């Protein structure tokens, strides 16, 4: 079962820093079940997925699988998982609102070749007004600075969205364009163990280095929008359509 945690303390840290870590959020039976279901999904579902929902570092090498998008839209188990109260209840407490379970994604930085994640704010991708959403990021492997741990800038969620520009990083098409050495000095690396949960606000700045180790860096991300947030769905659809066309033309997907 999920280990207990002090919800008020979690909320206090989240409001102050824009992120919070809950050690051992999943452990034992739950984590083993999740890994089994992810293994099943990867083995059985990937051949059926559109190219826009499965990314590889090298699309000709299945061993370089790096990202799976829209998982809940493709599989009943994961559609149910993201609606479980252990996830939705936490998101509702942190956003002080009912939530919409928007997205479930799997991430990997393959050994030695996993690319860096550019500094960004999730809210720039979400196109919400107000930009009220939360990402729950569950570690599936031991995560440290050598295999690309997440790095947060505390308090950045209170300063609004920064300018972003197009990147060449597959899966992270936008990055902060005015990132400075001062930003890097403010970063806090998030070392984590399997089952630890990192939670961050949509406006919290974060990034990750590439994976220079011999180990994978796998994680599961769940995104929840506050019910009060409104998305510019047409703008998002137009952007995604253009991005997918560009990636297909470049033979990246």
């Amino acid at each position: 079962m999920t280990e207990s945690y002090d919800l008020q303390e979690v909320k206090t840290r989240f409001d102050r820093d824009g992120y919070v870590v809950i050690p051992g959020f999943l452990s034992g039976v739950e984590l083993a079940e999740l890994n089994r279901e992810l293994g099943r999904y990867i083995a059985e579902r990937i051949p059926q997925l559109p190219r826009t929902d499965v990314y590889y570092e090298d699309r000709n090498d299945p061993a370089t699988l790096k990202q799976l998008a829209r998982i809940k839209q493709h599989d009943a188990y994961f559609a149910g998982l993201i609606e479980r109260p252990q996830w939705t209840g936490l998101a509702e407490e942190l956003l002080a609102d009912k939530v919409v379970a928007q997205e479930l994604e799997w991430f990997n930085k393959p050994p030695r070749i996993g690319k860096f994640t550019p500094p960004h704010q999730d809210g720039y991708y979400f196109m919400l007004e107000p930009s009220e959403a939360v990402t729950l990021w569950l570690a599936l492997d031991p995560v440290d600075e050598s295999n690309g741990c997440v790095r947060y800038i505390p308090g950045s969620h209170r300063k609004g969205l920064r300018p972003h520009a197009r990147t060449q990083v597959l899966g992270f098409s936008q990055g902060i364009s005015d990132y400075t050495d001062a930003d890097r000095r403010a970063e806090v690396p998030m070392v984590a163990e399997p089952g630890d949960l990192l939670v961050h606000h949509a406006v919290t700045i974060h990034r990750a280095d590439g994976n220079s180790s011999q180990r994978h860096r796998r994680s599961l991300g769940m995104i929840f929008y506050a019910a009060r947030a409104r998305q510019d769905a047409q703008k998002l659809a137009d952007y995604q359509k253009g991005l997918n066309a560009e990636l297909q033309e470049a033979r990246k997907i």
Side-chain angles (χ1 to χ4, degrees), residues 8 33 74 80 92 94 98 101 128 148-149 154 161 226 233:
Q8 186 55 55
E33 175 191 306
H74 297 300
E92 287 176 351
L94 296 181
K98 294 294 185 182
L128 298 174
C149 67
L161 289 174

Side-chain angles (χ1 to χ4, degrees), residues 72-84:
K72 79 181 185 76
Q73 284 87 341
H74 297 300
D75 191 87
Y77 172 83
F78 290 102
L81 176 71
I82 196 172
E83 297 286 356
R84 291 181 185 177

Side-chain angles (χ1 to χ4, degrees), residues 8-247:
Q8 186 55 55
E9 177 63 21
V10 165
K11 171 70 169 165
T12 297
R13 287 192 220 162
F14 178 80
D15 289 345
R16 181 190 67 202
D17 297 331
Y19 68 88
V20 67
V21 181
I22 307 177
F25 187 83
L26 287 191
S27 60
V29 172
E30 289 179 313
L31 190 57
E33 175 191 306
L34 178 57
N35 281 319
R36 281 196 304 272
E37 292 294 335
L38 284 167
R40 173 192 59 79
Y41 185 90
I42 289 169
E44 298 178 3
R45 294 290 187 191
I46 282 182
Q48 308 165 19
L49 296 178
R51 285 187 173 182
T52 52
D53 289 349
V54 53
Y55 293 167
Y56 298 89
E57 294 289 5
D58 177 354
R59 74 173 194 168
N60 297 312
D61 183 357
T64 68
L65 181 65
K66 68 163 289 180
Q67 191 169 337
L68 297 168
R70 291 166 40 86
I71 294 176
K72 79 181 185 76
Q73 284 87 341
H74 297 300
D75 191 87
Y77 172 83
F78 290 102
L81 176 71
I82 196 172
E83 297 286 356
R84 291 181 185 177
Q86 69 192 121
W87 311 104
T88 59
L90 174 60
E92 287 176 351
E93 288 290 339
L94 296 181
L95 292 172
D97 197 357
K98 294 294 185 182
V99 296
V100 177
Q102 182 68 22
E103 174 67 295
L104 193 154
E105 297 179 285
W106 177 88
F107 299 96
N108 181 33
K109 290 185 185 290
R112 304 295 298 179
I113 63 169
K115 300 292 194 302
F116 74 98
T117 304
H120 67 282
Q121 294 162 293
D122 293 349
Y124 191 87
Y125 293 91
F126 297 164
M127 301 182 187
L128 298 174
E129 184 59 44
S131 190
E132 290 294 340
V134 66
T135 298
L136 278 55
W137 190 98
L138 182 75
L140 300 174
D141 291 309
V143 182
D144 55 37
E145 294 187 68
S146 69
N147 68 342
C149 67
V150 176
R151 297 169 180 270
Y152 291 124
I153 296 185
S156 54
H157 65 305
R158 296 192 298 270
K159 299 178 182 179
L161 289 174
R162 294 266 290 272
H164 285 60
R166 186 75 171 85
T167 78
Q168 297 303 309
V169 181
L170 184 61
F172 294 94
S173 60
Q174 298 288 329
I176 293 174
S177 57
D178 61 353
Y179 209 68
T180 66
D181 289 340
D183 291 321
R184 290 185 178 274
R185 288 193 295 271
E187 295 172 353
V188 179
M190 297 289 110
V191 175
E193 293 296 324
D196 291 353
L197 187 68
L198 280 58
V199 186
H200 61 263
H201 189 275
V203 187
T204 300
I205 296 171
H206 56 292
R207 71 168 192 92
D209 289 329
N211 185 357
S212 61
S213 79
Q214 299 288 350
R215 298 170 289 120
H216 284 273
R217 196 227 67 178
R218 291 166 288 209
S219 62
L220 194 70
M222 301 184 187
I223 297 168
F224 297 89
Y225 293 174
R228 64 185 179 276
R230 294 291 177 265
Q231 187 174 58
D232 189 332
Q234 187 59 55
K235 182 179 178 182
L236 180 62
D238 290 345
Y239 173 77
Q240 195 63 57
K241 181 179 179 180
L243 176 63
N244 288 339
E246 178 185 328
L247 294 175

